[in-house]
Amino acid sequence: MNELVGLDMSLAKTRITRTNHKLTNYQTMEPTNYHTYDEIKNQTEVWAQAIEMARAISLPDSARYEQVIFTGCGSTHYLSLAAAALYQELTGRAARAVPASELLLNPQTVIRRIDSPTLLVAISRSGTTTETVKAAEKFKSDKRGDVVVISNYDEKLSQFADVNIVIDKGQEESVAQTRSFASMFVAASAFCARMAGRADLLDAMCDLPCVGQQLMTKYESFAEEIGGNLDFDRFYFLGSGMRYGLACEANLKMKEMTLTHSEPFHFLEFRHGPMSMANQNAVVVGLLSDANRVHEAKVLSEMGELGATVVGLGESDADIVFESAVPECMRGVLYLPILQLMAFHRSLAKGLNPDRPNHLTAVVRLEL
Ligand code: F1P
Protein backbone atom coordinates (compact mmCIF):
# COMPACT_ATOMS: atom_id res chain seq x y z
CA MET A 1 0.00 0.00 0.00
CA ASN A 2 1.75 3.21 -1.10
CA GLU A 3 1.50 6.24 1.16
CA LEU A 4 2.29 9.91 1.37
CA VAL A 5 4.29 10.16 4.61
CA GLY A 6 5.67 13.12 6.51
CA LEU A 7 3.67 15.85 4.86
CA ASP A 8 4.65 18.99 6.81
CA MET A 9 1.36 20.83 7.21
CA SER A 10 3.06 23.54 9.30
CA LEU A 11 4.60 24.89 6.09
CA ALA A 12 1.11 24.82 4.59
CA LYS A 13 2.67 23.07 1.67
CA THR A 14 1.33 19.95 0.16
CA ARG A 15 3.50 17.72 -1.86
CA ILE A 16 1.50 16.14 -4.63
CA THR A 17 2.93 12.86 -5.74
CA ARG A 18 3.11 13.16 -9.46
CA THR A 19 1.41 9.96 -10.41
CA ASN A 20 1.65 8.65 -13.88
CA HIS A 21 -2.01 7.89 -14.11
CA LYS A 22 -1.91 7.37 -17.86
CA LEU A 23 -1.62 3.84 -19.18
CA THR A 24 1.99 2.76 -19.68
CA ASN A 25 2.76 1.08 -22.98
CA TYR A 26 2.69 -2.43 -21.50
CA GLN A 27 -0.77 -2.05 -20.01
CA THR A 28 -3.72 -2.81 -22.26
CA MET A 29 -7.44 -2.41 -22.02
CA GLU A 30 -7.49 -5.94 -20.56
CA PRO A 31 -9.37 -5.59 -17.22
CA THR A 32 -7.59 -8.46 -15.53
CA ASN A 33 -4.32 -6.53 -15.79
CA TYR A 34 -5.54 -4.38 -12.90
CA HIS A 35 -5.75 -5.07 -9.18
CA THR A 36 -8.87 -2.93 -9.03
CA TYR A 37 -10.77 -5.26 -11.37
CA ASP A 38 -9.90 -8.42 -9.45
CA GLU A 39 -10.75 -6.74 -6.15
CA ILE A 40 -14.16 -5.62 -7.43
CA LYS A 41 -14.97 -9.00 -8.95
CA ASN A 42 -14.00 -11.13 -5.94
CA GLN A 43 -15.34 -8.82 -3.23
CA THR A 44 -18.43 -10.91 -2.39
CA GLU A 45 -16.22 -13.59 -0.80
CA VAL A 46 -15.19 -10.95 1.74
CA TRP A 47 -18.78 -9.91 2.50
CA ALA A 48 -19.31 -13.30 4.14
CA GLN A 49 -16.29 -12.81 6.42
CA ALA A 50 -17.54 -9.36 7.37
CA ILE A 51 -20.94 -10.69 8.38
CA GLU A 52 -19.48 -13.47 10.49
CA MET A 53 -16.98 -11.17 12.22
CA ALA A 54 -19.71 -8.72 13.12
CA ARG A 55 -21.90 -11.59 14.32
CA ALA A 56 -19.21 -13.06 16.59
CA ILE A 57 -17.89 -9.93 18.30
CA SER A 58 -19.08 -8.96 21.79
CA LEU A 59 -20.90 -5.59 21.68
CA PRO A 60 -22.09 -3.12 24.35
CA ASP A 61 -25.79 -2.42 24.94
CA SER A 62 -26.99 0.33 22.56
CA ALA A 63 -29.17 1.73 25.37
CA ARG A 64 -25.94 2.93 27.06
CA TYR A 65 -25.38 5.63 24.40
CA GLU A 66 -27.55 8.71 23.95
CA GLN A 67 -25.47 9.86 21.01
CA VAL A 68 -23.52 7.86 18.46
CA ILE A 69 -20.97 9.34 16.07
CA PHE A 70 -19.61 7.61 12.97
CA THR A 71 -16.42 8.97 11.44
CA GLY A 72 -13.84 8.38 8.71
CA CYS A 73 -12.15 10.19 5.80
CA GLY A 74 -12.98 10.16 2.09
CA SER A 75 -14.60 6.84 1.29
CA THR A 76 -14.87 5.92 4.94
CA HIS A 77 -16.56 9.23 5.71
CA TYR A 78 -19.16 8.36 3.07
CA LEU A 79 -19.45 4.90 4.62
CA SER A 80 -20.05 6.65 7.94
CA LEU A 81 -22.89 8.68 6.41
CA ALA A 82 -24.64 5.50 5.26
CA ALA A 83 -23.98 3.63 8.52
CA ALA A 84 -25.18 6.49 10.76
CA ALA A 85 -28.47 6.70 8.86
CA LEU A 86 -28.90 2.93 9.18
CA TYR A 87 -27.99 2.93 12.89
CA GLN A 88 -30.61 5.56 13.72
CA GLU A 89 -33.23 3.85 11.54
CA LEU A 90 -32.72 0.49 13.25
CA THR A 91 -32.06 1.51 16.88
CA GLY A 92 -34.15 4.70 17.07
CA ARG A 93 -31.18 6.42 18.74
CA ALA A 94 -29.55 9.64 17.52
CA ALA A 95 -26.59 8.96 15.23
CA ARG A 96 -24.62 11.22 12.91
CA ALA A 97 -21.55 11.06 10.70
CA VAL A 98 -18.79 13.62 10.40
CA PRO A 99 -15.39 13.69 8.66
CA ALA A 100 -12.68 12.75 11.17
CA SER A 101 -11.03 16.14 10.60
CA GLU A 102 -14.18 17.85 11.91
CA LEU A 103 -14.31 15.63 15.00
CA LEU A 104 -10.62 16.39 15.61
CA LEU A 105 -10.58 20.14 14.88
CA ASN A 106 -14.16 21.20 15.71
CA PRO A 107 -15.34 18.72 18.36
CA GLN A 108 -17.58 21.34 19.97
CA THR A 109 -19.76 21.30 16.82
CA VAL A 110 -19.99 17.50 16.85
CA ILE A 111 -20.21 16.12 20.39
CA ARG A 112 -22.94 17.34 22.71
CA ARG A 113 -21.78 17.64 26.30
CA ILE A 114 -23.92 15.07 28.09
CA ASP A 115 -23.43 13.05 31.28
CA SER A 116 -23.80 9.66 29.59
CA PRO A 117 -21.07 8.14 27.40
CA THR A 118 -20.96 8.69 23.64
CA LEU A 119 -20.21 5.87 21.20
CA LEU A 120 -17.68 6.66 18.47
CA VAL A 121 -17.56 4.29 15.46
CA ALA A 122 -14.25 5.01 13.71
CA ILE A 123 -13.95 3.52 10.22
CA SER A 124 -10.72 3.29 8.22
CA ARG A 125 -9.40 0.87 5.59
CA SER A 126 -5.77 1.40 6.61
CA GLY A 127 -6.27 2.14 10.30
CA THR A 128 -3.51 4.77 9.97
CA THR A 129 -5.15 7.88 8.43
CA THR A 130 -3.95 10.73 10.62
CA GLU A 131 -7.25 12.55 11.18
CA THR A 132 -9.09 9.38 12.10
CA VAL A 133 -6.38 8.10 14.46
CA LYS A 134 -5.96 11.49 16.15
CA ALA A 135 -9.74 11.99 16.48
CA ALA A 136 -10.12 8.60 18.18
CA GLU A 137 -7.11 9.28 20.40
CA LYS A 138 -8.54 12.65 21.52
CA PHE A 139 -12.01 11.12 22.04
CA LYS A 140 -10.51 8.57 24.40
CA SER A 141 -8.16 10.98 26.20
CA ASP A 142 -11.11 13.35 26.76
CA LYS A 143 -12.98 10.36 28.26
CA ARG A 144 -15.97 10.94 25.98
CA GLY A 145 -17.04 7.31 25.84
CA ASP A 146 -16.37 4.07 23.98
CA VAL A 147 -14.83 3.43 20.56
CA VAL A 148 -15.74 0.80 17.95
CA VAL A 149 -13.19 0.42 15.14
CA ILE A 150 -14.11 -1.07 11.75
CA SER A 151 -11.02 -1.55 9.57
CA ASN A 152 -9.16 -3.90 7.23
CA TYR A 153 -5.93 -3.68 9.22
CA ASP A 154 -5.20 -4.09 12.94
CA GLU A 155 -3.20 -0.88 13.03
CA LYS A 156 -2.77 2.35 15.04
CA LEU A 157 -6.50 3.09 15.12
CA SER A 158 -7.21 -0.28 16.74
CA GLN A 159 -5.19 0.71 19.82
CA PHE A 160 -8.06 3.02 20.79
CA ALA A 161 -10.77 0.42 20.22
CA ASP A 162 -13.02 -0.96 22.91
CA VAL A 163 -14.49 -3.10 20.11
CA ASN A 164 -12.16 -3.93 17.22
CA ILE A 165 -13.69 -5.31 13.99
CA VAL A 166 -10.92 -6.03 11.45
CA ILE A 167 -11.89 -7.63 8.11
CA ASP A 168 -8.41 -8.55 6.89
CA LYS A 169 -9.70 -10.25 3.70
CA GLY A 170 -10.91 -6.82 2.60
CA GLN A 171 -7.34 -5.61 2.21
CA GLU A 172 -6.50 -4.51 -1.34
CA GLU A 173 -3.65 -3.28 -3.54
CA SER A 174 -5.65 -0.58 -5.32
CA VAL A 175 -5.76 3.01 -4.09
CA ALA A 176 -9.44 3.64 -4.73
CA GLN A 177 -11.46 1.68 -2.18
CA THR A 178 -13.68 -1.05 -3.64
CA ARG A 179 -13.51 -4.46 -1.92
CA SER A 180 -12.36 -2.84 1.30
CA PHE A 181 -15.24 -0.36 1.34
CA ALA A 182 -17.83 -3.06 0.71
CA SER A 183 -16.34 -5.31 3.41
CA MET A 184 -16.42 -2.52 5.99
CA PHE A 185 -19.93 -1.43 4.96
CA VAL A 186 -21.26 -4.97 5.33
CA ALA A 187 -19.62 -5.15 8.77
CA ALA A 188 -21.08 -1.76 9.70
CA SER A 189 -24.55 -2.84 8.54
CA ALA A 190 -24.30 -6.05 10.57
CA PHE A 191 -23.06 -3.99 13.55
CA CYS A 192 -26.17 -1.78 13.30
CA ALA A 193 -28.46 -4.82 13.18
CA ARG A 194 -26.71 -6.31 16.23
CA MET A 195 -26.98 -3.05 18.20
CA ALA A 196 -30.70 -2.98 17.37
CA GLY A 197 -31.10 -6.55 18.64
CA ARG A 198 -32.20 -7.65 15.18
CA ALA A 199 -30.67 -11.10 14.74
CA ASP A 200 -33.28 -11.71 12.00
CA LEU A 201 -31.77 -8.93 9.87
CA LEU A 202 -28.28 -10.29 10.44
CA ASP A 203 -29.41 -13.74 9.26
CA ALA A 204 -31.02 -12.21 6.16
CA MET A 205 -27.65 -10.72 5.14
CA CYS A 206 -26.25 -14.18 4.45
CA ASP A 207 -27.81 -14.18 0.97
CA LEU A 208 -25.94 -11.01 -0.06
CA PRO A 209 -22.68 -12.57 -1.37
CA CYS A 210 -24.54 -14.85 -3.81
CA VAL A 211 -26.82 -12.04 -5.03
CA GLY A 212 -23.83 -9.70 -5.43
CA GLN A 213 -21.99 -12.23 -7.59
CA GLN A 214 -25.09 -12.78 -9.75
CA LEU A 215 -25.48 -9.02 -10.26
CA MET A 216 -21.91 -8.68 -11.55
CA THR A 217 -22.35 -11.62 -13.90
CA LYS A 218 -25.63 -10.26 -15.24
CA TYR A 219 -24.89 -6.53 -15.45
CA GLU A 220 -21.15 -5.99 -15.98
CA SER A 221 -21.67 -5.57 -19.72
CA PHE A 222 -24.29 -2.90 -19.01
CA ALA A 223 -21.89 -1.13 -16.64
CA GLU A 224 -19.20 -1.26 -19.34
CA GLU A 225 -21.61 0.09 -21.95
CA ILE A 226 -22.47 3.14 -19.82
CA GLY A 227 -18.97 3.61 -18.39
CA GLY A 228 -17.30 3.18 -21.77
CA ASN A 229 -19.45 5.77 -23.55
CA LEU A 230 -17.22 8.84 -23.64
CA ASP A 231 -20.04 10.99 -25.03
CA PHE A 232 -21.06 11.23 -21.36
CA ASP A 233 -19.11 13.98 -19.60
CA ARG A 234 -20.92 14.23 -16.26
CA PHE A 235 -22.39 11.73 -13.78
CA TYR A 236 -24.85 12.37 -10.97
CA PHE A 237 -25.57 9.83 -8.25
CA LEU A 238 -28.86 10.19 -6.40
CA GLY A 239 -29.61 8.45 -3.13
CA SER A 240 -31.65 9.15 0.00
CA GLY A 241 -31.65 7.81 3.53
CA MET A 242 -28.85 5.26 3.99
CA ARG A 243 -28.32 5.36 0.21
CA TYR A 244 -27.03 8.95 0.20
CA GLY A 245 -23.70 7.87 1.68
CA LEU A 246 -23.47 5.15 -0.96
CA ALA A 247 -24.21 7.72 -3.69
CA CYS A 248 -21.33 9.81 -2.30
CA GLU A 249 -19.02 6.78 -2.51
CA ALA A 250 -20.08 5.98 -6.10
CA ASN A 251 -19.38 9.62 -6.91
CA LEU A 252 -15.89 9.37 -5.42
CA LYS A 253 -15.12 6.22 -7.45
CA MET A 254 -16.10 8.07 -10.64
CA LYS A 255 -13.85 11.01 -9.71
CA GLU A 256 -10.88 8.95 -8.46
CA MET A 257 -10.79 6.41 -11.29
CA THR A 258 -11.96 8.50 -14.29
CA LEU A 259 -11.31 12.21 -13.61
CA THR A 260 -14.93 12.89 -14.61
CA HIS A 261 -17.13 15.66 -13.21
CA SER A 262 -19.59 13.91 -10.89
CA GLU A 263 -21.70 14.81 -7.87
CA PRO A 264 -23.98 13.06 -5.35
CA PHE A 265 -27.35 14.42 -4.23
CA HIS A 266 -30.31 13.42 -2.16
CA PHE A 267 -32.93 12.42 -4.71
CA LEU A 268 -35.39 15.33 -4.62
CA GLU A 269 -32.59 17.85 -4.07
CA PHE A 270 -31.52 17.37 -7.68
CA ARG A 271 -34.47 19.46 -8.87
CA HIS A 272 -33.35 22.43 -6.73
CA GLY A 273 -30.70 23.70 -9.12
CA PRO A 274 -28.36 20.87 -10.10
CA MET A 275 -30.81 19.57 -12.69
CA SER A 276 -29.79 22.55 -14.81
CA MET A 277 -26.84 20.32 -15.76
CA ALA A 278 -29.08 17.57 -17.20
CA ASN A 279 -28.54 17.08 -20.94
CA GLN A 280 -27.66 14.40 -23.48
CA ASN A 281 -24.11 14.21 -22.09
CA ALA A 282 -25.28 13.53 -18.55
CA VAL A 283 -25.86 10.24 -16.77
CA VAL A 284 -28.17 10.35 -13.74
CA VAL A 285 -27.82 7.21 -11.60
CA GLY A 286 -30.57 6.56 -9.06
CA LEU A 287 -30.00 4.33 -6.02
CA LEU A 288 -33.72 3.57 -5.77
CA SER A 289 -35.42 2.60 -2.53
CA ASP A 290 -38.61 0.59 -2.07
CA ALA A 291 -40.14 2.97 0.46
CA ASN A 292 -39.91 6.17 -1.64
CA ARG A 293 -39.79 4.63 -5.09
CA VAL A 294 -42.65 6.73 -6.55
CA HIS A 295 -40.97 10.03 -5.69
CA GLU A 296 -37.51 8.86 -6.73
CA ALA A 297 -38.60 7.33 -10.03
CA LYS A 298 -40.34 10.60 -10.93
CA VAL A 299 -37.07 12.50 -10.57
CA LEU A 300 -35.33 10.04 -12.91
CA SER A 301 -38.20 10.26 -15.40
CA GLU A 302 -38.02 14.06 -15.45
CA MET A 303 -34.26 13.98 -16.00
CA GLY A 304 -34.75 11.55 -18.90
CA GLU A 305 -37.15 14.05 -20.46
CA LEU A 306 -34.38 16.68 -20.22
CA GLY A 307 -32.15 14.43 -22.32
CA ALA A 308 -30.09 12.74 -19.62
CA THR A 309 -29.38 9.02 -19.67
CA VAL A 310 -30.91 7.65 -16.47
CA VAL A 311 -29.88 4.42 -14.75
CA GLY A 312 -31.95 3.04 -11.89
CA LEU A 313 -30.70 0.40 -9.44
CA GLY A 314 -33.13 -1.26 -7.05
CA GLU A 315 -34.85 -4.39 -5.77
CA SER A 316 -37.35 -4.38 -8.68
CA ASP A 317 -38.58 -2.35 -11.67
CA ALA A 318 -35.18 -0.86 -12.45
CA ASP A 319 -32.40 -1.04 -15.04
CA ILE A 320 -30.34 -3.05 -12.56
CA VAL A 321 -32.63 -5.32 -10.53
CA PHE A 322 -31.46 -7.01 -7.34
CA GLU A 323 -34.39 -9.40 -6.72
CA SER A 324 -32.55 -10.25 -3.50
CA ALA A 325 -35.47 -10.80 -1.08
CA VAL A 326 -33.12 -9.25 1.52
CA PRO A 327 -34.82 -6.58 3.72
CA GLU A 328 -34.23 -3.09 2.31
CA CYS A 329 -32.23 -1.86 5.30
CA MET A 330 -29.67 -4.66 4.92
CA ARG A 331 -29.09 -4.72 1.16
CA GLY A 332 -27.26 -1.39 0.67
CA VAL A 333 -24.04 -3.12 -0.41
CA LEU A 334 -25.78 -4.42 -3.55
CA TYR A 335 -25.67 -0.93 -5.13
CA LEU A 336 -21.85 -0.90 -5.09
CA PRO A 337 -20.36 -3.55 -7.45
CA ILE A 338 -22.03 -2.38 -10.67
CA LEU A 339 -21.23 1.28 -9.95
CA GLN A 340 -17.62 0.33 -9.16
CA LEU A 341 -17.43 -1.55 -12.49
CA MET A 342 -18.98 1.43 -14.31
CA ALA A 343 -16.16 3.65 -13.04
CA PHE A 344 -13.53 0.99 -13.71
CA HIS A 345 -14.52 0.50 -17.36
CA ARG A 346 -14.75 4.26 -17.90
CA SER A 347 -11.20 4.57 -16.59
CA LEU A 348 -9.94 2.09 -19.18
CA ALA A 349 -12.00 3.73 -21.95
CA LYS A 350 -10.29 7.04 -21.11
CA GLY A 351 -6.85 5.41 -21.25
CA LEU A 352 -6.31 5.94 -17.53
CA ASN A 353 -4.90 3.53 -14.96
CA PRO A 354 -7.61 2.70 -12.39
CA ASP A 355 -4.98 1.27 -10.05
CA ARG A 356 -3.14 4.64 -9.91
CA PRO A 357 -5.68 7.51 -9.47
CA ASN A 358 -4.27 10.93 -10.28
CA HIS A 359 -2.50 12.61 -7.31
CA LEU A 360 -3.87 10.04 -4.81
CA THR A 361 -2.24 7.70 -2.32
CA ALA A 362 -3.86 4.85 -0.44
CA VAL A 363 -3.27 6.56 2.90
CA VAL A 364 -3.00 10.26 3.79
CA ARG A 365 -0.66 10.89 6.72
CA LEU A 366 -0.15 14.41 8.04
CA GLU A 367 1.99 16.19 10.64
CA LEU A 368 -0.90 17.69 12.58
C1 F1P B 1 -9.14 7.22 3.74
C2 F1P B 1 -8.84 7.78 2.33
C3 F1P B 1 -9.67 7.09 1.29
C4 F1P B 1 -9.44 7.70 -0.07
C5 F1P B 1 -7.96 7.61 -0.44
C6 F1P B 1 -7.09 8.19 0.67
O1 F1P B 1 -8.42 6.06 3.97
O2 F1P B 1 -9.17 9.13 2.33
O3 F1P B 1 -11.02 7.21 1.63
O4 F1P B 1 -10.23 7.03 -1.03
O5 F1P B 1 -7.65 6.27 -0.67
O6 F1P B 1 -7.48 7.62 1.99
P1 F1P B 1 -8.76 5.09 5.22
O7 F1P B 1 -8.75 5.92 6.48
O8 F1P B 1 -10.11 4.51 4.96
O9 F1P B 1 -7.64 4.10 5.19
Side-chain angles (χ1 to χ4, degrees):
M1 182 180 264
N2 64 340
E3 50 198 45
L4 184 63
V5 183
L7 191 58
D8 182 353
M9 293 301 283
S10 61
L11 298 177
K13 281 194 298 186
T14 55
R15 205 164 9 97
I16 297 294
T17 305
R18 289 286 165 226
T19 307
N20 170 14
H21 59 280
K22 286 285 186 187
L23 282 177
T24 49
N25 53 20
Y26 73 85
Q27 282 177 311
T28 67
M29 296 283 277
E30 178 47 53
T32 53
N33 279 355
Y34 301 92
H35 294 302
T36 304
Y37 187 70
D38 296 338
E39 289 155 358
I40 292 171
K41 295 287 284 204
N42 68 32
Q43 66 180 292
T44 56
E45 299 162 22
V46 185
W47 300 2
Q49 183 200 28
I51 294 167
E52 289 322 308
M53 295 194 82
R55 184 197 297 274
I57 199 121
S58 172
L59 292 177
D61 180 352
S62 60
R64 175 177 156 78
Y65 308 104
E66 194 182 313
Q67 71 179 327
V68 181
I69 295 160
F70 290 74
T71 199
C73 296
S75 288
T76 37
H77 167 227
Y78 301 138
L79 200 166
S80 298
L81 284 171
L86 182 61
Y87 188 94
Q88 182 155 329
E89 178 180 337
L90 294 183
T91 65
R93 294 189 166 274
R96 66 179 292 203
V98 294
S101 54
E102 282 300 297
L103 180 58
L104 177 64
L105 302 177
N106 296 295
Q108 72 285 359
T109 68
V110 178
I111 306 176
R112 285 186 298 114
R113 288 196 172 282
I114 52 177
D115 296 335
S116 64
T118 293
L119 182 65
L120 174 64
V121 184
I123 306 173
S124 172
R125 167 178 64 181
S126 62
T128 61
T129 295
T130 302
E131 300 105 297
T132 312
V133 171
K134 293 254 184 217
E137 181 180 27
K138 184 170 181 357
F139 182 90
K140 286 302 274 186
S141 63
D142 291 350
K143 297 181 174 34
R144 297 286 192 156
D146 301 325
V147 176
V148 173
V149 166
I150 299 176
S151 182
N152 296 122
Y153 293 84
D154 193 346
E155 259 284 350
K156 281 184 184 172
L157 183 61
S158 293
Q159 69 187 315
F160 303 109
D162 298 290
V163 176
N164 193 31
I165 303 173
V166 177
I167 311 102
D168 59 328
K169 289 184 179 171
Q171 296 173 6
E172 56 197 358
E173 293 298 317
S174 53
V175 171
Q177 294 193 17
T178 52
R179 176 172 71 191
S180 62
F181 182 96
S183 73
M184 291 188 285
F185 180 65
V186 167
S189 301
F191 164 78
C192 292
R194 289 272 322 274
M195 292 297 274
R198 294 294 304 273
D200 60 312
L201 293 178
L202 196 61
D203 293 342
M205 294 184 78
C206 294
D207 292 335
L208 288 172
C210 178
V211 175
Q213 207 55 47
Q214 289 167 355
L215 286 174
M216 287 192 277
T217 302
K218 185 173 181 183
Y219 293 110
E220 176 170 4
S221 57
F222 179 74
E224 185 174 5
E225 179 190 335
I226 299 291
N229 184 339
L230 299 187
D231 291 339
F232 298 136
D233 66 3
R234 62 199 75 176
F235 285 73
Y236 301 101
F237 298 92
L238 309 185
S240 295
M242 165 260 288
R243 285 160 298 277
Y244 175 66
L246 302 177
C248 291
E249 170 58 8
N251 156 66
L252 185 61
K253 292 304 87 122
M254 191 55 77
K255 280 193 172 76
E256 287 178 331
M257 288 198 229
T258 80
L259 305 181
T260 301
H261 167 81
S262 64
E263 280 188 275
F265 293 98
H266 294 86
F267 253 102
L268 277 61
E269 275 295 291
F270 197 62
R271 290 197 182 99
H272 297 273
M275 78 174 196
S276 54
M277 297 293 285
N279 65 15
Q280 71 283 1
N281 303 114
V283 178
V284 180
V285 177
L287 285 68
L288 293 160
S289 70
D290 297 348
N292 296 312
R293 173 64 66 95
V294 170
H295 307 295
E296 296 167 349
K298 191 157 186 334
V299 174
L300 293 186
S301 169
E302 291 170 15
M303 297 314 129
E305 287 162 15
L306 294 175
T309 294
V310 297
V311 177
L313 297 85
E315 180 67 3
S316 60
D317 302 323
D319 299 294
I320 294 161
V321 178
F322 301 157
E323 291 177 328
S324 69
V326 174
E328 175 159 52
C329 56
M330 303 319 291
R331 63 168 110 101
V333 71
L334 295 180
Y335 294 97
L336 294 171
I338 300 306
L339 298 181
Q340 292 165 349
L341 286 170
M342 190 182 289
F344 173 82
H345 285 294
R346 182 173 176 84
S347 180
L348 295 193
K350 290 187 72 175
L352 300 174
N353 180 349
D355 285 355
R356 308 270 303 275
N358 196 30
H359 301 333
L360 296 190
T361 60
V363 184
V364 174
R365 287 206 190 131
L366 310 170
E367 300 295 329
L368 283 181

